[in-house]
Structures are given as C-alpha cells and as structure tokens.
Amino acid sequence: MSPTATLARALRSDALFTYYFPRSPMRWLLLWSFFRDELAFRREHGQVVAVGAAVAFLGDWPLADLPLGRLSLLTRLLLRLQPPEVRQRWTKAPNLNPRRPLSQHRYLSVIGTPRARRGRGDGTRLIKRLVNDAGAAGLDLYLETSSARLSDWYRRQGFELIGEEQLEDGPRIFAMVCRAQVDVRRGD
C-alpha cells in the first residue's frame, strides 16, 4: 500500500484529521490528496520513513510544516467545497501550537499504521527508529497528537508533554517532544 493510502486509512477516524477533514462524501479523496501533497513535499524537504506497515512523514526545522501554498489544485478545490467553518480552520492551521520549538528540531508531522496491521509492533519499531535517528542528528523530535491514549503511548517511547492546546470547537492537542538522545534501542 502506498504511504498516501496508508495514512489516509490509518487516520480517517483521528480527531484532529476529522476536525480538518470532516466526514463527507469527499473525505477519503481529500485525505488522500492532502497526504499525496505532503508526501511530495516530504520527499523534497524532509523524510518519508516506513517500518513494516507503519509510515511517518518528518520535516526538519525551518521547513517543518507543509506550507499551505504547496497544496495541489485538487486539494485546494476540495477544501473550497468544504463548509465555511472548515475553511476558516485551515486559515488558523499554521499557528496551531505556539509551543513548537523555535530552534532546530525534527517534526513528526504524521505517523500511522492501518487498523488491520496494528498491534504487531511496526509503529513502536518506527518511533524508536525516528527517536534514534533524531538523537543521532542532535535534534529533538517534536509531535502533536489529539489522542490522550496516544500521548500515553508516546510517553512510554520517551516523549514528554510540553503543552496542550484546545482547538475552538475541536479536539485538545497535546504537544510533545523527545529530547535529543543517542543509543535508544531500536527494537528492529
């Protein structure tokens, strides 16, 4: 399965992606198109990493985020077809979390494993690899999650909570960082 399809399937019920991509007949196409855009950007300015069925997109500061101007014509058209309140959310997206580091760091933009492949350790092996690679580069690894359950899982992987943000009419976002360290067991 392609990274684009993997992430679109893995994150279709995620609270943050549901907030930005509400349930509609076009939702699957919008998620797929957005992840296709981010995949192209990460291949040019970042990393695409997979372990087993788990996939992650990463960006290094200062190009940590996918610029909204890099969205494809298809994604922009699909966003324009969304209700006004959804389009308004996208105007606020670049300022999502003021706790994001302002110094060099690696941003874990997205990570996902298809539901049918969860529980096999692919995600754990992938996150350990990402932590190890960031540590070897001397970079903190930063992420945001909208799941309290996943924030607990990230804590077990060495991340610490550095802030929370409640989105207006949306989910709570947990900002987390794993400080640069080396020799984290990969679990491969």
Side-chain angles (χ1 to χ4, degrees):
M1 185 180 308
S2 75
T4 299
T6 294
L7 292 171
R9 287 175 195 243
L11 298 166
R12 65 180 163 213
S13 61
D14 177 84
L16 184 61
F17 283 95
T18 300
Y19 177 74
Y20 283 107
F21 304 99
R23 299 195 187 286
S24 75
M26 296 179 294
R27 186 161 192 267
W28 168 256
L29 180 59
L30 184 51
L31 280 169
W32 177 85
S33 184
F34 175 80
F35 286 126
R36 186 194 60 181
D37 296 344
E38 186 164 6
L39 175 64
F41 182 74
R42 295 299 174 206
R43 284 184 171 155
E44 191 178 329
H45 300 287
Q47 299 175 39
V48 177
V49 183
V51 171
V55 176
F57 292 171
L58 299 108
D60 287 346
W61 182 88
L63 293 172
D65 290 310
L66 168 65
L68 295 181
R70 292 291 299 263
L71 295 177
S72 67
L73 182 60
L74 175 60
T75 304
R76 284 184 277 156
L77 175 66
L78 291 168
L79 287 172
R80 282 192 190 126
L81 295 173
Q82 297 297 308
E85 64 272 11
V86 174
R87 291 194 310 267
Q88 180 65 26
R89 292 173 191 164
W90 279 87
T91 64
K92 298 175 185 178
N95 303 315
L96 181 62
N97 198 317
R99 291 172 185 80
R100 183 169 294 169
L102 298 176
S103 59
Q104 283 196 335
H105 66 280
R106 185 160 291 159
Y107 174 50
L108 176 53
S109 172
V110 65
I111 183 172
T113 305
R115 191 164 284 194
R117 299 288 308 267
R118 292 182 187 158
R120 299 177 186 191
D122 292 347
T124 299
R125 285 191 304 278
L126 177 55
I127 201 74
K128 288 180 188 236
R129 176 177 169 186
L130 301 177
V131 166
N132 207 28
D133 291 351
L139 298 171
D140 294 344
L141 184 58
Y142 173 83
L143 64 84
E144 296 156 354
T145 183
S146 58
S147 166
R149 182 183 58 79
L150 281 176
S151 71
D152 290 339
W153 182 79
Y154 285 119
R155 280 189 187 106
R156 291 192 303 274
Q157 308 308 316
F159 286 80
E160 63 183 85
L161 182 67
I162 59 171
E164 294 181 33
E165 183 83 19
Q166 179 66 50
L167 296 180
E168 183 179 328
D169 297 322
R172 176 170 298 285
I173 304 300
F174 302 92
M176 305 186 80
V177 68
C178 186
R179 305 287 177 199
Q181 55 186 335
V182 209
D183 296 325
V184 174
R185 297 190 71 178
R186 289 184 104 149
D188 292 323

